[in-house]
Amino acid sequence: MNAPADFSHLLARAREPFPASAKSWIQGSRPDLRVPVRDIRLTNGEVVSVYDTSGPYTDPAASIDVRRGLPGVRSAWIEERGDTEGYAGRAPQAIDDGQRSEDAARLRELRAQAAALQRRPRRARAGANVTQMHYARRGIVTPEMEYVALRENGRREWMEQYLADAAREQRLAGNPLGASIPRVITPEFVRDEVARGRAIIPANINHPEVEPMAIGRNFRVKINANIGNSAVTSSIEEEVEKLVWAIRWGADNVMDLSTGKNIHTTRDWIIRNSPVPIGTVPIYQALEKVGGIAEDLTWEIFRDTLIEQAEQGVDYFTIHAGVRLAFIHLTAARRTGIVSRGGSIMAKWCMAHHRESFIYEHFEEICEIMKSYDVSFSLGDGLRPGSLSDANDEAQFAELRTLGELTQVAWKHDVQTMIEGPGHVPMHLIQANMAEQLRTCHEAPFYTLGPLTIDISPGYDHIASAIGAAMIGWMGTAMLCYVTPKEHLGLPDREDVKQGIIAYRIAAHAADVAKGHPAARARDDALSQARFEFRWQDQFNLGLDPDTAREFHDETLPKDSAKVAHFCSMCGPKFCSMKITQEVREYARQGLQAKAEEFNRAGGALYVPIHPAG
Amino acid sequence: MNAPADFSHLLARAREPFPASAKSWIQGSRPDLRVPVRDIRLTNGEVVSVYDTSGPYTDPAASIDVRRGLPGVRSAWIEERGDTEGYAGRAPQAIDDGQRSEDAARLRELRAQAAALQRRPRRARAGANVTQMHYARRGIVTPEMEYVALRENGRREWMEQYLADAAREQRLAGNPLGASIPRVITPEFVRDEVARGRAIIPANINHPEVEPMAIGRNFRVKINANIGNSAVTSSIEEEVEKLVWAIRWGADNVMDLSTGKNIHTTRDWIIRNSPVPIGTVPIYQALEKVGGIAEDLTWEIFRDTLIEQAEQGVDYFTIHAGVRLAFIHLTAARRTGIVSRGGSIMAKWCMAHHRESFIYEHFEEICEIMKSYDVSFSLGDGLRPGSLSDANDEAQFAELRTLGELTQVAWKHDVQTMIEGPGHVPMHLIQANMAEQLRTCHEAPFYTLGPLTIDISPGYDHIASAIGAAMIGWMGTAMLCYVTPKEHLGLPDREDVKQGIIAYRIAAHAADVAKGHPAARARDDALSQARFEFRWQDQFNLGLDPDTAREFHDETLPKDSAKVAHFCSMCGPKFCSMKITQEVREYARQGLQAKAEEFNRAGGALYVPIHPAG
């Protein structure tokens, strides 16, 4: 079997442009700053332009060779700043891919496949700090910040017609619940948000391929999709294809949670081919390096793994620095104990050595690494609840307070930081999570996993968690980690990944509408208008998944003529309520006309007295 | 093709008992009052008992012939009250089934199929009022009320172990947001709720097959599934099978929204075979009788249709009495006008005649019919918003206020009443809907369709609406009308019906947990406990859809041994966080032991002063 050929076949479906859609770009202040959007051409001539996470893959003009990687959108910007230097980098080791030295042949083959993906790593020059937060705090608006501003705004022109009705706008204005979302997002606003730590732009200097995006409560709610091989199944090719598939459907970020063999090389493939920020949980790889024995972990191995991954270009690290020795006993009475992998690894280490976590103790050293590459912290919630029964307990909140302390340490180093959150939380306890996070973590972006609002829906936890995700997104959570239908049961395949992403795009969009993101609701209005006017193709194409919408419609009314029919299968031709509404308009027009005549006959007085004088 | 044989084949899948489950009954105060529950036997010997909507179909001992109908659970109760009488009933007409007199042969065949389903109708004796509300207000606790109380409580014994931890209970107590849910639901409590109009028990005296259930904010949140043939597709057999399929997955109520031909006979089949209350929208059938021309509707035809359906045993009628002439122009400026079928029919009638709605004008006469059969009102929201853009507008709220007035008229007649609600509502406007409904409709049960929180998810609107449904359910909505993935696109097939119901069971359960229904969260706890203890089979069987959970697990780890493995495919054997938690417990136990020894060494003082005296 010819691997590359097979691979391009795998990618074909993920590279297909969306129906009636074309990639276009919003031009920024410099020629190499062009922000992609997806323009959807409607049958009535309108063009609706939407946020686009899919990168060059959906651009038929882009020639992509996944064995060589994507071009570096940000390379010139990084270079120009003059505060970084190329260097030899850490020497690769067999153990990075979970191979022993005896596996030399296999290893050579693996490395050969990834040969054209190797880049000379960069790091901050001695004494420099290359984080977006550092620049922001010094008043510098980077191209990354301008990019984010243009991306958050989108093309506003087409939205005007939908946002025109002032009375309707008043009624539907959104309730930001304490967020401060401006009508127009400027580069300066982005800079200010990053400077105060309320948003991050995950963008490792060794990941110039990334199309910058921001995670913060005053921006569009983002979603993260997890991919990763595992000890049990999956291959590298499948993982890269999952990445492209995930961003096609709207993943703003992807976490590579690979375990087992070939972790390092898998990551080369993913990062070099990813236009979205990539996050990892470095303790997973560190654990592989010590043969899976948590007790054998050391600060040195962990530190070395951080540098290995930072050199490759990972944009954010989940770091479980809040799993402190003193908190472990708080989980003993829980129904479901510790459910975070990283959390349980660190708990085991702390117990085995009866010592404080080495991650907590070396936190400032970690900050030094982060600021040399601009890796962002995703401070992990190793003690998050794994069931409703354990929600909002002392273990969870003790860790959260620690994450708040560590946020301030990170900010002292100008390291970008977000905070991970639960998990499993019943609806009535969600608000308390958000309030506690905002208070103790000083508005650092919150990044939650769901939360699941019930525990009894295995097979449907993408739905149970989309409910919690939508609510906490509205309340201020900046990024939602998706949950697939396979959660708690098995590893997601490509269809599960899509289902999880769509469910989370729904949750994130519901949150954006509720909090009043100015670029959110116009798309709903455009779709509703199409629905009302029986523009079926537009209705499908404006949706999150045009293919499925079209398929579902075809099942009942497969004929092409039905796509322009002024009725649908729910009511049939006689009963159509929308058709009747057209008549209402005519009636109202005539009625208002009659009223106007009456008004004029009455002498045109604005207030007609209830008891006529005299 | 032999129709009966084919039909029993169709039913086979819907009749299969759930895995590891057996139907059992909670015995009431009289021998013929037995409330069904589903007992799930766990591998550790525990038995978890859950609410059961599936009727006799999941009882392998029950012999069911759908051509004859179910036995009448309530027949003796109705008979004993002595306030009803059998009578000849309205003469059947060809037009009831949308047939012309020329179709005599087809009609004879149709009627022959339903021959064994014909019952002699009953009605209230002259001057009598046979509604549950009427009894309740006179202080009578009916068997129906006792049945509801036992059903809402469920078997509490097994829950005790899960609710034992007082500190956890305090933290997780639920936030009823103004509801008044007692720890134990007594028959007297049910009577009081029905008397004050805060709950209804839909139970037409001509539908004795119904297993009584209550719809009210102080009870478990209920869900409704819509089925029905249509002008475009579907057959009678399929519709009955859909009913059985719907209640299998948890529909508490089913609405028959059939249009086109054979409406009357389809309804015979559905009602006689339904253990759950059946609702209809009588204006649909009335419109069929006038050839689909809204202008030709008359009060006489509508009234005759109400009696026709009341005699058959419909438990609640959606009546669009709030679509008043004066409100129609309020919809003219909407983005999506009137999207309710019933609403648009009435709007068209009002416009064509330039007259007030005949339904509004004859409302008291309708009440007279309702109280003769105990049909409940579901006051329809004919002006509900069909897009975010139209949410919470004046048209919607003007109608809602009218429904509030009509509720008081209905209550004057002791007619049970609930209020239908939207529709499409962004998250931040949901609370205002609930508050307005509670205020203007005096806590009459609210029954909402979703609401959908975004408009851009055709193909996934069950998810977009489950978010809104969960929230409004928590806030006080008593019943949630499901939305299937086919919403806005086509007619749901059996898989869509299941998907819609599961999404709504998730929403309703999330609401029950959040509002603190005392019989809700124990099931989550039991499942989480099973998950933590690697009792895979119990985890599947306690879920809303054991088959799908098991299938998903099998996809990754198909071997039977994996069902007892102390790890799962997400982490693999080395990484299992739950396994590590077992070690935490041992560690904490030892740690606490050490603490206890320290405490004893220190002299056993409860408070150790921070600054030791002296």
Side-chain angles (χ1 to χ4, degrees):
Chain A
M1 192 177 74
N2 180 315
D6 178 61
F7 192 70
S8 70
H9 164 75
L10 259 181
L11 264 184
R13 212 174 129 196
R15 284 209 55 180
E16 224 171 81
F18 279 86
S21 293
K23 191 174 292 280
S24 82
W25 289 267
I26 301 172
Q27 183 61 53
S29 64
R30 44 186 289 169
D32 67 350
L33 201 166
R34 302 193 319 150
V35 178
V37 290
R38 175 159 68 94
D39 285 344
I40 307 169
R41 187 162 296 278
L42 308 189
T43 57
N44 64 354
E46 281 177 43
V47 175
V48 165
S49 182
V50 300
Y51 197 101
D52 185 4
T53 58
S54 63
Y57 294 99
T58 49
D59 177 7
S63 156
I64 296 172
D65 178 353
V66 294
R67 309 234 145 205
R68 301 193 162 271
L70 300 178
V73 177
R74 299 164 56 232
S75 301
W77 312 343
I78 296 163
E79 184 79 37
E80 280 170 24
R81 287 195 276 261
D83 53 1
T84 59
E85 58 185 8
Y87 70 114
R90 176 183 165 280
Q93 297 166 29
I95 195 71
D96 300 346
D97 273 315
Q99 308 280 350
R100 290 158 307 164
S101 44
E102 303 93 273
D103 305 323
R106 167 73 188 125
L107 195 62
R108 258 198 312 278
E109 187 194 330
L110 200 65
R111 295 276 156 93
Q113 280 184 9
L117 296 170
Q118 301 311 308
R119 305 283 183 271
R120 184 173 163 83
R122 302 188 77 84
R123 68 180 169 204
R125 285 184 194 280
N129 182 331
V130 300
T131 71
Q132 293 289 323
M133 187 181 212
H134 186 69
Y135 304 137
R137 286 181 163 182
R138 298 171 82 189
I140 299 167
V141 174
T142 61
E144 285 86 346
M145 296 168 197
E146 183 188 341
Y147 195 105
V148 161
L150 295 174
R151 201 168 190 184
E152 290 283 329
N153 281 328
R155 290 199 202 281
R156 288 290 172 84
E157 302 78 359
W158 72 269
M159 300 179 195
E160 288 311 319
Q161 63 163 311
Y162 293 103
L163 305 176
D165 182 334
R168 183 183 285 148
E169 268 316 286
Q170 181 61 22
R171 178 165 46 82
L172 295 164
N175 181 350
L177 297 177
S180 310
I181 308 168
R183 291 297 304 168
V184 174
I185 289 155
T186 62
E188 171 57 24
F189 178 78
V190 176
R191 188 204 58 74
D192 191 57
E193 290 291 297
V194 172
R196 65 198 289 177
R198 208 150 62 176
I200 68 170
I201 300 176
N204 185 325
I205 55 168
N206 289 313
H207 189 193
E209 301 89 349
V210 90
E211 297 177 345
M213 52 77 67
I215 301 168
R217 71 187 291 214
N218 293 323
F219 298 106
R220 183 170 166 280
V221 174
K222 305 305 187 298
I223 69 170
N224 172 77
N226 294 331
I227 60 176
N229 68 348
S230 98
V232 181
T233 56
S234 158
S235 77
I236 296 176
E237 273 83 0
E238 281 168 353
E239 292 311 319
V240 178
E241 199 271 343
K242 265 187 206 164
L243 161 78
V244 179
W245 185 244
I247 62 178
R248 172 183 180 80
W249 294 109
D252 295 284
N253 274 212
V254 165
M255 288 193 78
D256 173 13
L257 302 185
S258 294
T259 60
K261 288 199 186 297
N262 312 336
I263 293 185
H264 181 97
T265 303
T266 302
R267 204 160 44 229
D268 271 339
W269 281 62
I270 290 176
I271 294 173
R272 295 286 75 80
N273 288 294
S274 177
V276 303
I278 298 293
T280 61
V281 186
I283 198 87
Y284 293 175
Q285 188 181 11
L287 188 70
E288 294 292 339
K289 292 179 180 176
V290 295
I293 313 296
E295 304 85 293
D296 292 352
L297 283 166
T298 63
W299 160 240
E300 288 68 28
I301 289 167
F302 187 65
R303 181 180 183 285
D304 183 58
T305 305
L306 296 183
I307 290 171
E308 173 190 347
Q309 298 197 6
E311 288 179 350
Q312 281 184 291
V314 173
D315 300 289
Y316 56 94
F317 289 155
T318 292
I319 301 282
H320 296 95
V323 182
R324 299 191 58 182
L325 178 67
F327 302 154
I328 293 171
H329 78 277
L330 296 173
T331 67
R334 280 180 157 186
R335 189 170 301 285
T336 48
I338 299 176
V339 295
S340 148
R341 283 195 272 178
S344 61
I345 292 164
M346 287 313 299
K348 186 153 188 185
W349 188 93
C350 291
M351 286 188 293
H353 298 277
H354 199 75
R355 273 195 55 188
E356 182 58 276
S357 153
F358 64 83
I359 301 182
Y360 181 83
E361 289 194 327
H362 291 274
F363 192 74
E364 299 227 24
E365 287 170 72
I366 299 174
C367 292
E368 295 293 341
I369 298 169
M370 306 299 260
K371 70 191 188 195
S372 298
Y373 302 92
D374 197 8
V375 182
S376 299
F377 274 119
S378 185
L379 294 178
D381 55 338
L383 304 182
R384 68 170 174 269
S387 57
L388 300 189
S389 183
D390 295 337
N392 291 27
D393 73 351
E394 182 50 23
Q396 184 194 333
F397 284 150
E399 181 186 41
L400 185 61
R401 287 190 294 271
T402 301
L403 301 186
E405 288 164 27
L406 295 174
T407 298
Q408 293 195 299
V409 176
W411 285 354
K412 197 180 68 186
H413 293 271
D414 294 347
V415 173
Q416 304 192 89
T417 302
M418 61 180 167
I419 311 293
E420 296 185 10
H424 292 240
V425 183
M427 280 195 288
H428 65 294
L429 298 184
I430 290 177
Q431 176 59 56
N433 267 275
M434 193 68 231
E436 192 69 5
Q437 193 273 345
L438 287 172
R439 193 176 65 77
T440 62
C441 299
H442 321 286
E443 294 195 272
F446 204 23
Y447 166 31
T448 61
L449 176 67
L452 282 81
T453 53
I454 63 171
D455 295 339
I456 62 169
S457 51
Y460 301 84
D461 281 340
H462 60 311
I463 300 179
S465 65
I467 294 168
M471 290 175 70
I472 207 162
W474 172 27
M475 292 167 186
T477 290
M479 186 156 74
L480 306 169
C481 182
Y482 87 163
V483 167
T484 78
K486 287 275 171 61
E487 183 77 12
H488 298 117
L489 298 170
L491 291 171
D493 60 23
R494 82 201 300 279
E495 184 55 27
D496 297 319
V497 166
K498 177 178 168 185
Q499 292 297 321
I501 290 172
I502 301 277
Y504 273 69
R505 279 263 60 95
I506 290 171
H509 186 68
D512 284 337
V513 166
K515 74 183 191 181
H517 189 293
R521 219 199 61 242
R523 184 170 173 185
D524 300 88
D525 291 354
L527 191 146
S528 293
Q529 192 69 37
R531 184 172 278 159
F532 182 66
E533 293 170 1
F534 300 102
R535 288 184 275 115
W536 288 99
Q537 299 292 358
D538 295 345
Q539 189 185 155
F540 306 150
N541 294 340
L542 285 164
L544 294 173
D545 179 0
D547 310 341
T548 298
R550 188 171 285 105
E551 265 168 43
F552 282 3
H553 185 261
D554 285 354
E555 277 178 32
T556 316
L557 287 174
K559 288 196 224 86
D560 265 354
S561 63
K563 299 292 187 306
V564 290
H566 276 207
F567 64 91
C568 62
S569 60
M570 275 80 74
C571 304
K574 276 185 194 161
F575 259 13
C576 180
S577 58
M578 289 207 177
K579 199 170 153 198
I580 290 174
T581 302
Q582 316 278 16
E583 299 170 21
V584 169
R585 294 218 173 143
E586 181 54 24
Y587 178 76
R589 203 185 54 72
Q590 289 170 0
L592 289 174
Q593 185 63 32
K595 282 279 172 214
E597 282 160 18
E598 187 183 311
F599 175 79
N600 288 329
R601 270 200 308 279
L606 269 176
Y607 298 94
V608 179
I610 295 173
H611 303 289
Chain B
M1 192 178 73
N2 181 315
D6 179 61
F7 192 71
S8 70
H9 164 76
L10 259 181
L11 265 185
R13 212 174 129 196
R15 284 209 57 181
E16 224 171 81
F18 279 86
S21 293
K23 192 174 289 281
S24 83
W25 289 267
I26 301 173
Q27 183 62 51
S29 63
R30 43 186 291 169
D32 66 352
L33 200 166
R34 302 193 318 151
V35 177
V37 290
R38 176 159 68 93
D39 286 343
I40 307 169
R41 187 162 296 280
L42 307 189
T43 57
N44 65 353
E46 281 177 43
V47 176
V48 165
S49 181
V50 300
Y51 196 102
D52 185 3
T53 58
S54 63
Y57 294 98
T58 48
D59 177 7
S63 155
I64 297 173
D65 178 352
V66 294
R67 310 229 144 209
R68 301 192 162 271
L70 300 179
V73 177
R74 299 163 56 232
S75 301
W77 313 342
I78 295 163
E79 183 79 38
E80 280 170 23
R81 286 194 276 260
D83 53 2
T84 58
E85 59 185 8
Y87 70 114
R90 178 183 164 281
Q93 298 166 29
I95 196 70
D96 300 347
D97 273 314
Q99 308 280 350
R100 292 158 306 165
S101 44
E102 303 93 274
D103 304 322
R106 169 71 189 127
L107 195 63
R108 256 198 314 278
E109 187 194 329
L110 200 66
R111 296 275 157 91
Q113 280 183 9
L117 295 170
Q118 302 310 309
R119 306 283 182 269
R120 184 174 163 80
R122 304 187 74 84
R123 67 180 169 202
R125 287 184 191 281
N129 182 330
V130 299
T131 71
Q132 292 290 321
M133 187 180 214
H134 186 70
Y135 304 137
R137 286 181 163 182
R138 298 171 83 190
I140 299 166
V141 175
T142 62
E144 285 87 345
M145 296 170 199
E146 182 188 342
Y147 195 104
V148 162
L150 295 174
R151 201 167 190 184
E152 290 283 330
N153 281 327
R155 290 199 202 280
R156 289 290 173 86
E157 302 79 358
W158 71 269
M159 301 179 195
E160 289 309 319
Q161 62 163 310
Y162 292 103
L163 305 176
D165 182 332
R168 182 182 285 147
E169 267 316 286
Q170 182 61 22
R171 179 165 46 80
L172 295 163
N175 181 350
L177 296 177
S180 309
I181 308 167
R183 292 297 305 168
V184 174
I185 289 155
T186 62
E188 171 56 23
F189 178 78
V190 176
R191 187 204 60 72
D192 190 57
E193 290 290 298
V194 172
R196 64 197 290 175
R198 209 150 61 178
I200 66 170
I201 300 176
N204 185 326
I205 55 168
N206 289 312
H207 190 193
E209 301 89 347
V210 90
E211 296 176 345
M213 52 77 68
I215 300 168
R217 70 186 292 212
N218 293 322
F219 299 105
R220 183 169 167 280
V221 174
K222 304 305 187 296
I223 70 170
N224 173 76
N226 293 332
I227 60 176
N229 68 348
S230 97
V232 181
T233 57
S234 159
S235 75
I236 295 176
E237 272 84 0
E238 281 168 352
E239 292 312 317
V240 177
E241 199 270 345
K242 265 188 206 163
L243 161 80
V244 179
W245 186 243
I247 63 177
R248 172 184 181 80
W249 294 110
D252 295 284
N253 274 212
V254 166
M255 287 193 79
D256 173 12
L257 303 185
S258 295
T259 60
K261 289 199 184 295
N262 313 336
I263 294 185
H264 182 97
T265 304
T266 301
R267 204 159 44 228
D268 271 341
W269 281 61
I270 290 176
I271 293 174
R272 295 285 77 79
N273 288 294
S274 177
V276 304
I278 299 295
T280 61
V281 187
I283 198 87
Y284 294 175
Q285 189 181 10
L287 188 70
E288 293 291 339
K289 292 179 180 176
V290 295
I293 314 296
E295 305 85 292
D296 292 352
L297 283 167
T298 63
W299 160 241
E300 289 68 29
I301 288 167
F302 186 66
R303 181 181 183 284
D304 183 58
T305 305
L306 296 183
I307 291 171
E308 173 191 346
Q309 297 197 9
E311 287 179 351
Q312 281 184 291
V314 173
D315 300 289
Y316 55 95
F317 289 155
T318 292
I319 301 281
H320 296 96
V323 182
R324 297 190 59 182
L325 178 66
F327 302 155
I328 293 170
H329 78 279
L330 296 174
T331 67
R334 281 180 157 186
R335 189 172 300 286
T336 49
I338 299 175
V339 295
S340 149
R341 282 194 273 179
S344 61
I345 293 164
M346 287 313 299
K348 186 153 187 184
W349 190 92
C350 291
M351 285 188 293
H353 298 278
H354 199 78
R355 272 194 56 187
E356 182 58 276
S357 152
F358 64 83
I359 301 181
Y360 181 81
E361 290 194 327
H362 290 274
F363 193 75
E364 299 228 25
E365 288 171 74
I366 299 174
C367 292
E368 295 293 341
I369 298 169
M370 306 299 260
K371 69 192 191 193
S372 298
Y373 301 92
D374 198 8
V375 182
S376 298
F377 274 119
S378 185
L379 294 178
D381 55 339
L383 304 182
R384 69 171 174 269
S387 57
L388 299 190
S389 183
D390 296 338
N392 292 25
D393 72 352
E394 182 50 24
Q396 183 194 334
F397 284 150
E399 181 186 41
L400 184 62
R401 286 190 294 271
T402 301
L403 301 186
E405 289 163 29
L406 295 174
T407 298
Q408 294 195 299
V409 176
W411 285 354
K412 197 180 70 188
H413 292 272
D414 295 347
V415 173
Q416 303 193 91
T417 303
M418 62 181 165
I419 311 292
E420 295 185 10
H424 292 241
V425 184
M427 280 195 288
H428 65 293
L429 298 184
I430 290 177
Q431 176 60 55
N433 267 275
M434 193 70 231
E436 192 69 6
Q437 192 272 345
L438 288 172
R439 193 177 65 77
T440 62
C441 299
H442 322 286
E443 293 194 271
F446 203 24
Y447 165 31
T448 61
L449 176 65
L452 280 82
T453 53
I454 63 172
D455 295 340
I456 63 168
S457 49
Y460 301 85
D461 281 340
H462 60 311
I463 299 178
S465 66
I467 293 168
M471 290 175 71
I472 207 163
W474 172 26
M475 292 167 186
T477 289
M479 185 156 75
L480 306 169
C481 182
Y482 88 162
V483 168
T484 78
K486 288 276 172 62
E487 183 77 12
H488 299 117
L489 299 171
L491 293 171
D493 60 22
R494 81 202 300 279
E495 184 55 26
D496 297 319
V497 165
K498 178 179 166 184
Q499 292 297 321
I501 290 172
I502 300 277
Y504 273 69
R505 278 263 61 94
I506 290 171
H509 187 68
D512 284 338
V513 166
K515 75 184 190 177
H517 189 293
R521 219 199 63 243
R523 184 169 172 185
D524 300 88
D525 292 353
L527 190 145
S528 294
Q529 192 70 36
R531 183 171 279 158
F532 183 66
E533 293 171 1
F534 299 103
R535 288 184 275 114
W536 288 99
Q537 300 292 357
D538 295 345
Q539 190 186 153
F540 307 149
N541 294 339
L542 285 164
L544 294 173
D545 179 0
D547 309 340
T548 298
R550 188 172 284 104
E551 265 168 43
F552 282 1
H553 185 261
D554 286 355
E555 278 179 32
T556 317
L557 286 175
K559 289 196 222 86
D560 266 355
S561 63
K563 300 293 187 305
V564 291
H566 275 208
F567 64 90
C568 61
S569 60
M570 273 80 73
C571 304
K574 276 184 195 162
F575 259 13
C576 180
S577 59
M578 288 205 178
K579 199 169 154 198
I580 290 175
T581 301
Q582 317 278 14
E583 299 169 22
V584 169
R585 293 216 174 146
E586 180 55 23
Y587 177 77
R589 203 185 55 70
Q590 289 170 0
L592 289 174
Q593 185 64 31
K595 282 279 171 213
E597 281 160 19
E598 189 183 310
F599 175 77
N600 288 330
R601 271 200 308 278
L606 267 177
Y607 298 94
V608 180
I610 295 171
H611 304 286

